[in-house]
Amino acid sequence: MANKNILLIEPGYKNKYPPLGLMKIAQYHGPRGKQDHVRFIKGEDRSVLGTAWDRIYITTLFSFEFSRISTSIDFALYVANGQADKVFVGGIAASLMHDVFLSEPRWRGVRFIKGLLGEPPAISLKLDDFSEELYSDDRTGRAIEDLIPDYSILDQIPYQYPVRDAYFAYASRGCIRKCSFCGVPKLEGDQRDTESIAGIVRGVDELYGPKKDLTLMDNNVVASARFKDIMAEIRDLGFTPGAKLRRGRVAVQRRVDFNQGVDARILCKDRMYLKELSTICIRPLRIAFDHLGLKAPYETAIRYAHEFGLTELSNYMLYNFHDSPRDLFERMRLNVALNEELGIRIWSFPMRYQPTNLPDRSHIGEKWTRYQLRSMQLILQATHGVVSGNPSFFKRAFGESGEEFESLLLLPHHFIFNRDWYEHLSGRAEFEEYTREFAKVTNSERADLLLMLSSCDPRYFSRLIHQSKHTHIQKILRYYVPLAKEKEAEIWQTQRNSEPLAADVPDDERVEDAGLSEEDSTPVKTSRNPKRQYQMVFA
């Protein structure tokens, strides 16, 4: 039954890692599997319209990409000439929002797969043997989840993933934690160990040649009872400090990246964990710092890391959950203090919390407002999503105190977006005038101003001026009216050569998604309407 036409689709969003799930499906169907013809596309590539496809697989990543995912599903149905039984959709969003996908009338008949493809193929894919569906008799074969990823499909698309030249593997699945903000318990369940990393590396080497890096996507590797064995296995594979891979005359530096981060609450219990991690070429060491209550274990973990020579660190900072802006500021400022004291480099990546079943970025935490979230987004756009531990960088981007940070979040958005223009160039007089007027606004009036600015679209801010009874607010509101597009373009052209605020962090060390390309969080209209969503499940 070989020579079938199999289409793999990844929606047209930007993402850091290649679709591991689709790569494994490609291995199942490809020349070393069922010997089918496999085609991989990203987005809606109309060149596939001239082929009769026997099956179409679509991956999904973040649930807030529901709009782009919907476009890909609609496109797949069009490609399949309306034959919904040929279309299979899986991955993170399809798992976390399973009922939402199933409830869409226009997708009736599409197979939405929940969770991992960890059983024999016909069972995982819910194939009906009675209907004699393609490969429905494969009820004892090796699980697709356990196959070596097919790297060759990545050459079929022009899109370049920032992380590409790496072995992608798991040493463990699931997590011991049950954090309410996290999708991992629903996706992967309790923590358990997986197959040997060495087997995956050897398989990739044999089929596709050696890769430079080792990217491990465990959710909480330090919680594994086999932690020391995992570290030993990594060392045995040659990923030790200073390790290089020779390619012809050039030797390239190798690295290990636990891209989901490690758990400070475990690291702080025993120096052994950081001692073991220091024996592999880990760069950077990623540690989560999700709320201020983790300050003590987080700081201890950082000091242990420094003790064992781990000086390049990165951390995830969840915000817009139960935290406040000042909570986030204190966590960011702690890294600045640790950098100065220990002489290390900690790059922080604030990650905006979104419920794992929400099809957009519209969630507003109890201690945040819509306006503050948009302001934070603009600041992070200027820094490319990175919070540097450099004191001067941090002061310029986020202020010197929690109060000053809150004032920055309350600035008119064109002041934030065009900071050089208003602080140092021709807009300085207007900025100083605003600062004098803002100083007259009382704390209670600032709270009212923030609520007003969060109540409507910026296009209608001019209407707010006459709605407030406070003279100070009426005077300050005029600065919030958005600039005309022509004026904005003129300012941008003038300040484009100014010193950039962005931190110099390689793309392959950045986080998967910080929402920096999104505009206002406008809910996506549907028929019914990371903890981080980083895991690659049929993704």
Side-chain angles (χ1 to χ4, degrees):
M1 202 183 293
N3 297 318
K4 299 298 181 180
N5 292 318
I6 308 299
L7 179 62
L8 311 178
I9 301 177
E10 181 179 57
Y13 39 61
K14 293 181 179 180
N15 50 315
K16 179 177 177 180
Y17 302 99
L20 187 58
L22 289 185
M23 293 165 71
K24 292 180 178 182
I25 291 172
Q27 193 69 261
Y28 174 71
H29 281 286
R32 299 173 187 86
K34 298 298 184 181
Q35 298 183 359
D36 296 321
H37 303 293
V38 178
R39 173 78 187 277
F40 173 46
I41 64 172
K42 188 166 179 65
E44 292 67 58
D45 185 343
R46 298 182 66 85
S47 67
V48 303
L49 293 177
T51 303
W53 298 100
D54 295 287
R55 184 167 294 164
I56 301 174
Y57 296 94
I58 305 169
T59 183
T60 66
L61 190 53
F62 301 110
S63 60
F64 48 72
E65 296 283 12
F66 188 83
S67 178
R68 289 187 176 96
I69 294 168
S70 299
T71 300
S72 289
I73 297 174
D74 292 340
F75 177 72
L77 286 170
Y78 178 65
V79 172
N81 294 315
Q83 295 178 278
D85 61 317
K86 292 186 175 182
V87 179
F88 292 70
V89 182
I92 292 177
S95 298
L96 297 178
M97 300 176 58
H98 196 66
D99 292 340
V100 175
F101 283 97
L102 288 175
S103 67
E104 179 55 57
R106 72 182 190 273
W107 298 335
R108 187 172 290 114
V110 171
R111 221 79 50 98
F112 291 100
I113 307 300
K114 188 175 183 179
L116 304 174
L117 299 181
E119 297 184 272
I123 299 174
S124 288
L125 295 172
K126 303 179 181 178
L127 301 179
D128 186 356
D129 198 23
F130 182 78
S131 301
E132 297 184 346
E133 287 190 293
L134 180 64
Y135 305 132
S136 60
D137 58 342
D138 192 358
R139 310 187 74 80
T140 59
R142 188 180 182 188
I144 293 174
E145 168 65 20
D146 297 334
L147 298 179
I148 299 297
D150 185 346
Y151 285 75
S152 69
I153 67 169
L154 304 183
D155 297 328
Q156 298 182 19
I157 61 171
Y159 185 83
Q160 293 291 312
Y161 298 94
V163 178
R164 183 184 181 102
D165 188 11
Y167 304 99
F168 298 100
Y170 290 88
S172 65
R173 285 284 203 175
C175 185
I176 61 169
R177 309 290 182 193
K178 297 294 182 288
C179 301
S180 58
F181 52 78
C182 183
V184 171
K186 297 177 184 177
L187 290 167
E188 300 186 23
D190 295 332
Q191 181 137 349
R192 61 199 182 281
D193 293 321
T194 62
E195 295 183 7
S196 165
I197 302 172
I200 297 172
V201 171
R202 284 195 296 267
V204 173
D205 283 349
E206 180 181 344
L207 298 177
Y208 308 104
K211 303 299 177 183
K212 181 173 73 72
D213 299 328
L214 175 61
T215 298
L216 292 163
M217 296 178 285
D218 298 55
N219 304 297
N220 201 344
V221 68
V222 294
S224 171
R226 293 187 59 254
F227 175 70
K228 283 190 174 182
D229 294 333
I230 293 169
M231 294 299 106
E233 188 174 16
I234 294 172
R235 291 193 298 270
D236 289 344
L237 289 169
F239 287 93
T240 52
K244 294 183 178 181
L245 175 65
R246 180 163 294 280
R247 286 180 169 158
R249 297 181 179 179
V250 179
V252 291
Q253 195 78 41
R254 309 188 87 172
R255 70 181 181 121
V256 176
D257 183 11
F258 285 95
N259 72 340
Q260 306 303 323
V262 288
D263 192 336
R265 290 165 288 187
I266 297 175
L267 295 179
C268 72
K269 293 180 179 180
D270 193 328
R271 285 180 167 83
M272 175 273 295
Y273 292 102
L274 274 307
K275 182 179 180 180
E276 287 289 327
L277 287 167
S278 71
T279 65
I280 62 176
C281 53
I282 189 168
R283 193 184 80 250
L285 171 63
R286 303 183 192 273
I287 306 177
F289 192 5
D290 290 324
H291 55 83
L292 200 54
L294 295 174
K295 178 180 179 180
Y298 173 77
E299 184 172 349
T300 299
I302 295 295
R303 293 185 183 280
Y304 285 172
H306 170 257
E307 181 179 329
F308 290 104
L310 295 170
T311 59
E312 291 189 47
L313 302 107
S314 168
N315 78 333
Y316 302 123
M317 288 191 177
L318 185 73
Y319 72 99
N320 190 41
F321 189 52
H322 294 321
D323 62 294
S324 67
R326 292 200 182 197
D327 173 304
L328 175 61
F329 178 85
E330 290 303 321
R331 284 181 282 157
M332 294 189 295
R333 185 165 62 177
L334 175 62
N335 281 340
V336 177
L338 289 171
N339 276 353
E340 286 192 287
E341 177 189 346
L342 302 177
I344 58 180
R345 295 202 323 168
I346 308 176
W347 304 107
S348 300
F349 295 89
M351 301 296 293
R352 177 174 167 178
Y353 168 72
Q354 298 295 325
T356 57
N357 61 351
L358 195 66
D360 52 55
R361 298 179 190 266
S362 61
H363 176 75
I364 300 171
E366 58 187 312
K367 297 177 182 177
W368 288 78
T369 66
R370 180 185 179 188
Y371 192 85
Q372 288 174 318
L373 289 172
R374 179 60 177 147
S375 297
M376 183 65 182
Q377 184 182 35
L378 288 174
I379 294 173
L380 291 176
Q381 281 179 340
T383 68
H384 290 188
V386 184
V387 179
S388 170
N390 180 282
S392 60
F393 175 102
F394 181 80
K395 176 182 175 181
R396 184 176 180 221
F398 301 98
E400 292 189 272
S401 66
E403 182 179 2
E404 190 172 325
F405 177 53
E406 288 185 335
S407 294
L408 283 171
L409 295 179
L410 193 46
L411 281 174
H413 284 157
H414 50 276
F415 282 13
I416 298 175
F417 192 71
N418 304 298
R419 185 173 291 190
D420 276 343
W421 174 266
Y422 287 102
E423 292 184 5
H424 306 293
L425 302 175
S426 300
R428 183 172 179 177
E430 182 181 353
F431 180 74
E432 291 176 345
E433 186 181 75
Y434 163 85
T435 303
R436 288 192 296 270
E437 293 290 345
F438 186 78
K440 301 174 185 177
V441 180
T442 65
N443 287 337
S444 62
E445 289 173 341
R446 291 186 186 187
D448 289 342
L449 173 63
L450 191 54
L451 288 176
M452 292 181 72
L453 294 171
S454 300
S455 68
C456 66
D457 189 282
R459 292 174 295 177
Y460 307 117
F461 281 175
S462 60
R463 301 179 185 179
L464 298 177
I465 296 174
H466 306 293
Q467 294 179 12
S468 176
K469 299 178 181 179
H470 301 291
T471 302
H472 292 155
I473 292 182
Q474 288 177 351
K475 289 183 178 180
I476 204 75
L477 272 170
R478 64 188 177 91
Y479 294 98
Y480 289 85
V481 177
L483 300 177
K485 290 183 179 180
E486 296 78 10
K487 182 63 176 177
E488 191 90 54
E490 177 188 337
I491 292 174
W492 182 250
Q493 184 67 24
T494 303
Q495 67 168 8
R496 58 188 264 180
N497 295 323
S498 301
E499 180 182 353
L501 189 58
D504 184 20
V505 179
D507 285 344
D508 63 355
E509 291 187 15
R510 297 182 188 275
V511 296
E512 172 74 7
D513 179 273
L516 302 182
S517 62
E518 295 296 315
E519 293 302 319
D520 274 331
S521 302
T522 304
V524 176
K525 294 182 180 179
T526 70
S527 60
R528 293 180 58 181
N529 106 262
K531 180 180 167 179
R532 354 185 146 70
Q533 301 176 39
Y534 302 141
Q535 286 61 40
M536 297 291 193
V537 191
F538 184 8

